[in-house]
Amino acid sequence: MARQQAARSRDTLTTTGEAASPAASSKAERAYRIIKDRIEDGTYGPGFRLVLDQLARELSVSAVPVREAIRRLESEGYVVFTRNLGASVASIDPDQYWHTMQVLAIVEAAATALAAPHLAARTLREAREVNERMRASIAAFDPVAFTQLNEEFHRLLCSACPNPRLCGLVKREWSQMALIRRSSFVFVPGRARASVAEHDQLLDLIESRASEQKIEQAARAHKLATLDAFIRHQP
């Protein structure tokens, strides 16, 4: 029934006989990128209604590419259709965040440990620089920007993982976390300072050529500490 309702809602956005020209496809891609970015950076929060005509005016395009962009975002889980209301940004499920972070604590920690002996000195310096930017940003705290730097830091540490299947699992969970679109630092800003300190410790372990087991344990504990802080601050 829910699927039928969603299909009927989508049908109200469909114009019979529309053809996808290269120009229309380019505009749809641009609309998709802009709307997706606005969802991920919090400009369009959970439940925000995506009104075709309004978005088309803002993006200086017709409703057609906006419609295509919204359909694509629906297929990726960013958008839901509700009967008589139309498209809106999908709500966030705290349980989904919890489960995804638990999985990430396992697979990302393993990828970090495997990557450690293969990380170039340049990559480690870059990770240090990112962490210093995170530390410097705490005074005027922007949780969205801090989260973006945090993601960059962990991507650098996993970048040299030699196991392609494990890399695929990590990337899948990162994508899932992007769908959830929630920065735990919004709710536990005090966690930011501890997170930066844990990054320092993790880099120290990697640079000192600590064992794979110690690096994996530290990386997992770091991820779980963020999850624990989030859980403790839930109502």
XYZ file of all heavy atoms in Angstrom, residues 90-140:
389
model
N 14.057 12.785 3.850
C 13.802 11.632 4.717
C 14.198 11.934 6.160
O 15.166 12.650 6.422
C 14.573 10.417 4.211
N 13.435 11.392 7.081
C 13.745 11.546 8.498
C 14.932 10.665 8.872
O 15.303 9.736 8.147
C 12.531 11.172 9.348
O 11.456 12.043 9.095
N 15.516 10.954 10.021
C 16.704 10.244 10.485
C 16.306 9.235 11.555
O 15.552 9.551 12.467
C 17.734 11.237 11.052
C 18.212 12.167 9.931
C 18.909 10.524 11.690
C 18.922 13.390 10.430
N 16.825 8.049 11.442
C 16.533 6.986 12.390
C 17.728 6.803 13.333
O 18.794 6.351 12.904
C 16.269 5.686 11.623
C 15.875 4.537 12.526
O 15.966 4.695 13.759
O 15.474 3.492 11.999
N 17.589 7.152 14.612
C 18.712 6.999 15.549
C 19.224 5.562 15.622
O 20.433 5.342 15.797
C 18.115 7.443 16.892
C 16.987 8.338 16.526
C 16.423 7.763 15.254
N 18.327 4.585 15.484
C 18.767 3.188 15.512
C 19.680 2.879 14.332
O 20.650 2.128 14.453
C 17.564 2.247 15.484
C 16.798 2.243 16.795
O 17.391 2.635 17.824
O 15.615 1.870 16.788
N 19.367 3.484 13.179
C 20.207 3.267 12.005
C 21.600 3.849 12.226
O 22.606 3.255 11.833
C 19.552 3.911 10.780
C 20.219 3.535 9.467
C 19.535 4.186 8.279
O 18.799 5.163 8.424
N 19.789 3.669 7.107
N 21.643 5.007 12.861
C 22.943 5.615 13.196
C 23.726 4.675 14.110
O 24.921 4.421 13.892
C 22.711 6.958 13.888
C 23.977 7.590 14.421
C 24.772 8.394 13.607
C 24.404 7.372 15.733
C 25.943 8.957 14.089
C 25.572 7.919 16.215
C 26.331 8.724 15.397
O 27.494 9.260 15.882
N 23.068 4.165 15.124
C 23.703 3.272 16.081
C 24.283 2.046 15.381
O 25.465 1.696 15.565
C 22.661 2.865 17.120
C 23.178 2.063 18.276
C 24.429 1.553 18.447
C 22.444 1.677 19.448
N 24.518 0.873 19.628
C 23.327 0.932 20.265
C 21.130 1.886 19.864
C 22.928 0.394 21.482
C 20.739 1.343 21.087
C 21.623 0.615 21.876
N 23.473 1.398 14.564
C 23.920 0.178 13.905
C 25.060 0.455 12.929
O 26.011 -0.333 12.837
C 22.744 -0.473 13.172
C 21.662 -0.928 14.093
N 20.347 -1.051 13.704
C 21.684 -1.282 15.406
C 19.621 -1.476 14.723
N 20.403 -1.609 15.766
N 24.966 1.556 12.195
C 26.012 1.884 11.236
C 27.331 2.184 11.936
O 28.398 1.752 11.490
C 25.585 3.086 10.370
O 24.372 2.761 9.689
C 26.657 3.422 9.332
N 27.268 2.909 13.043
C 28.494 3.218 13.781
C 29.121 1.955 14.361
O 30.354 1.829 14.410
C 28.181 4.221 14.888
C 28.023 5.651 14.404
S 29.589 6.372 13.836
C 30.395 6.696 15.405
N 28.296 1.013 14.803
C 28.831 -0.243 15.310
C 29.593 -0.994 14.220
O 30.673 -1.546 14.467
C 27.702 -1.113 15.865
C 27.148 -0.639 17.203
C 26.007 -1.504 17.691
O 25.196 -1.977 16.903
N 25.932 -1.723 18.992
N 29.014 -1.028 13.033
C 29.680 -1.706 11.915
C 30.964 -0.971 11.543
O 32.013 -1.589 11.313
C 28.736 -1.807 10.701
C 29.481 -2.356 9.493
C 27.540 -2.693 11.024
N 30.892 0.360 11.485
C 32.073 1.142 11.144
C 33.199 0.936 12.167
O 34.382 0.931 11.804
C 31.719 2.632 11.066
C 31.273 3.147 9.707
C 30.836 4.612 9.807
C 32.385 3.006 8.669
N 32.840 0.802 13.426
C 33.853 0.586 14.452
C 34.671 -0.667 14.161
O 35.864 -0.737 14.477
C 33.192 0.472 15.828
N 34.034 -1.649 13.534
C 34.725 -2.901 13.214
C 35.491 -2.787 11.906
O 36.710 -3.019 11.857
C 33.711 -4.061 13.149
C 33.054 -4.269 14.514
C 34.399 -5.344 12.680
C 31.886 -5.232 14.499
N 34.800 -2.425 10.824
C 35.435 -2.480 9.503
C 36.421 -1.335 9.297
O 37.479 -1.534 8.674
C 34.385 -2.512 8.374
C 33.542 -3.772 8.469
C 33.502 -1.275 8.370
N 36.098 -0.138 9.797
C 37.037 0.979 9.617
C 38.289 0.779 10.459
O 39.397 1.111 10.021
C 36.357 2.298 9.972
C 37.202 3.517 9.642
C 36.529 4.822 10.027
O 35.405 5.081 9.531
O 37.119 5.582 10.822
N 38.124 0.234 11.661
C 39.296 -0.036 12.500
C 40.210 -1.063 11.833
O 41.443 -0.918 11.833
C 38.852 -0.538 13.869
N 39.623 -2.096 11.252
C 40.427 -3.116 10.565
C 41.144 -2.510 9.357
O 42.324 -2.795 9.115
C 39.528 -4.266 10.131
N 40.434 -1.682 8.595
C 41.048 -1.054 7.417
C 42.171 -0.117 7.828
O 43.223 -0.044 7.155
C 39.985 -0.295 6.630
N 41.997 0.614 8.923
C 43.043 1.516 9.406
C 44.283 0.735 9.811
O 45.411 1.123 9.493
C 42.524 2.329 10.610
O 41.374 3.102 10.207
C 43.591 3.280 11.131
N 44.074 -0.363 10.509
C 45.211 -1.178 10.946
C 45.963 -1.771 9.767
O 47.212 -1.787 9.746
C 44.718 -2.291 11.873
N 45.246 -2.262 8.767
C 45.904 -2.835 7.587
C 46.603 -1.763 6.761
O 47.636 -2.022 6.132
C 44.875 -3.574 6.725
C 44.341 -4.892 7.274
C 43.286 -5.462 6.327
C 45.467 -5.903 7.473
N 46.037 -0.576 6.748
C 46.615 0.513 5.957
C 47.869 1.091 6.602
O 48.752 1.608 5.895
C 45.583 1.632 5.781
N 47.954 1.013 7.939
C 49.001 1.709 8.687
C 50.419 1.532 8.137
O 51.124 2.520 7.903
C 48.937 1.306 10.158
N 50.885 0.300 7.890
C 52.266 0.158 7.416
C 52.489 0.645 5.987
O 53.637 0.773 5.548
C 52.515 -1.354 7.519
C 51.162 -1.968 7.480
C 50.240 -0.987 8.133
N 51.416 0.931 5.274
C 51.529 1.352 3.878
C 51.319 2.858 3.695
O 51.438 3.354 2.571
C 50.495 0.603 3.028
C 50.592 -0.891 3.139
N 51.598 -1.626 2.544
C 49.818 -1.786 3.821
C 51.427 -2.906 2.828
N 50.352 -3.027 3.598
N 51.023 3.564 4.781
C 50.755 4.994 4.671
C 52.052 5.764 4.467
O 53.012 5.606 5.234
C 50.039 5.503 5.931
C 48.585 5.075 6.087
C 48.087 5.402 7.492
C 47.709 5.763 5.038
N 52.082 6.590 3.442
C 53.263 7.402 3.156
C 53.385 8.514 4.191
O 52.389 8.954 4.786
C 53.150 8.001 1.757
N 54.612 8.979 4.393
C 54.851 10.072 5.345
C 54.039 11.302 4.962
O 53.521 12.015 5.833
C 56.336 10.407 5.385
N 53.896 11.542 3.674
C 53.118 12.691 3.198
C 51.658 12.573 3.624
O 51.045 13.562 4.037
C 53.203 12.777 1.673
C 52.423 13.915 1.059
C 52.587 13.911 -0.452
N 52.086 12.666 -1.027
C 52.238 12.309 -2.305
N 52.883 13.108 -3.140
N 51.741 11.159 -2.755
N 51.103 11.369 3.551
C 49.711 11.162 3.944
C 49.531 11.375 5.437
O 48.540 11.978 5.881
C 49.251 9.748 3.561
O 49.441 9.547 2.162
C 47.786 9.533 3.903
N 50.487 10.905 6.225
C 50.412 11.106 7.667
C 50.529 12.583 8.026
O 49.842 13.062 8.936
C 51.501 10.298 8.362
C 51.307 8.774 8.338
C 52.530 8.054 8.874
C 50.064 8.385 9.143
N 51.390 13.312 7.317
C 51.492 14.763 7.559
C 50.176 15.449 7.231
O 49.724 16.344 7.960
C 52.622 15.369 6.714
C 54.016 15.068 7.227
C 55.045 15.998 6.596
N 55.056 15.900 5.136
C 55.805 15.046 4.448
N 56.592 14.195 5.091
N 55.773 15.032 3.137
N 49.559 15.016 6.147
C 48.277 15.595 5.761
C 47.220 15.312 6.819
O 46.403 16.189 7.155
C 47.843 15.043 4.408
C 46.633 15.749 3.819
C 46.292 15.260 2.424
O 47.096 14.512 1.835
O 45.206 15.625 1.933
N 47.226 14.091 7.354
C 46.273 13.738 8.409
C 46.508 14.592 9.654
O 45.551 15.045 10.301
C 46.388 12.258 8.748
N 47.781 14.836 9.994
C 48.100 15.710 11.121
C 47.557 17.119 10.884
O 47.013 17.755 11.795
C 49.610 15.785 11.319
C 50.266 14.572 11.908
C 50.202 14.550 13.406
N 50.970 13.440 13.956
C 50.852 13.022 15.207
N 49.981 13.603 16.017
N 51.570 12.006 15.640
N 47.740 17.601 9.683
C 47.271 18.948 9.355
C 45.753 19.043 9.473
O 45.214 20.030 9.984
C 47.721 19.328 7.946
C 49.219 19.543 7.826
C 49.686 19.648 6.379
O 48.820 19.558 5.472
O 50.906 19.800 6.154
N 45.056 18.011 8.993
C 43.593 17.997 9.100
C 43.180 18.006 10.567
O 42.263 18.732 10.974
C 43.006 16.769 8.375
C 41.517 16.615 8.693
C 43.206 16.885 6.869
N 43.870 17.206 11.381
C 43.520 17.149 12.799
C 43.785 18.490 13.489
O 43.039 18.895 14.391
C 44.301 16.039 13.490
C 43.632 15.572 14.767
O 42.402 15.452 14.819
N 44.414 15.311 15.796
N 44.847 19.189 13.076
C 45.116 20.513 13.638
C 44.033 21.508 13.245
O 43.653 22.379 14.036
C 46.490 21.010 13.189
C 47.652 20.294 13.857
C 47.564 20.339 15.382
O 47.280 21.419 15.935
O 47.754 19.279 16.015
N 43.535 21.371 12.036
C 42.414 22.226 11.617
C 41.176 21.923 12.453
O 40.414 22.830 12.805
C 42.124 22.017 10.132
C 43.184 22.614 9.209
C 43.085 22.082 7.801
N 41.789 22.359 7.187
C 41.354 21.772 6.072
N 42.117 20.861 5.462
N 40.184 22.096 5.565
N 40.978 20.656 12.778
C 39.865 20.294 13.649
C 40.040 20.924 15.025
O 39.094 21.476 15.596
C 39.772 18.763 13.768
C 39.401 18.056 12.483
S 39.427 16.253 12.625
C 38.011 15.972 13.688
N 41.267 20.846 15.554
C 41.534 21.427 16.875
C 41.304 22.939 16.867
O 40.697 23.488 17.796
C 42.966 21.100 17.297
C 43.351 21.657 18.664
C 44.760 21.255 19.052
N 44.806 19.863 19.514
C 45.363 18.870 18.848
N 45.919 19.076 17.661
N 45.366 17.646 19.337
N 41.769 23.592 15.816
C 41.634 25.044 15.725
C 40.175 25.471 15.584
O 39.812 26.593 15.962
C 42.451 25.572 14.549
N 39.338 24.591 15.038
C 37.943 24.952 14.778
C 37.049 24.812 16.007
O 35.891 25.230 15.982
C 37.379 24.086 13.649
O 37.163 22.742 14.101
N 37.579 24.228 17.079
C 36.742 23.957 18.249
C 36.266 25.248 18.904
O 35.135 25.331 19.395
C 37.501 23.066 19.254
C 37.686 21.656 18.659
C 36.763 22.982 20.585
C 38.530 20.733 19.503
N 37.117 26.285 18.907
C 36.760 27.544 19.577
C 35.476 28.134 18.998
O 34.585 28.572 19.724
C 37.911 28.538 19.471
N 35.410 28.191 17.672
C 34.190 28.677 17.004
C 33.553 27.467 16.341
O 33.653 27.268 15.131
C 34.535 29.750 15.984
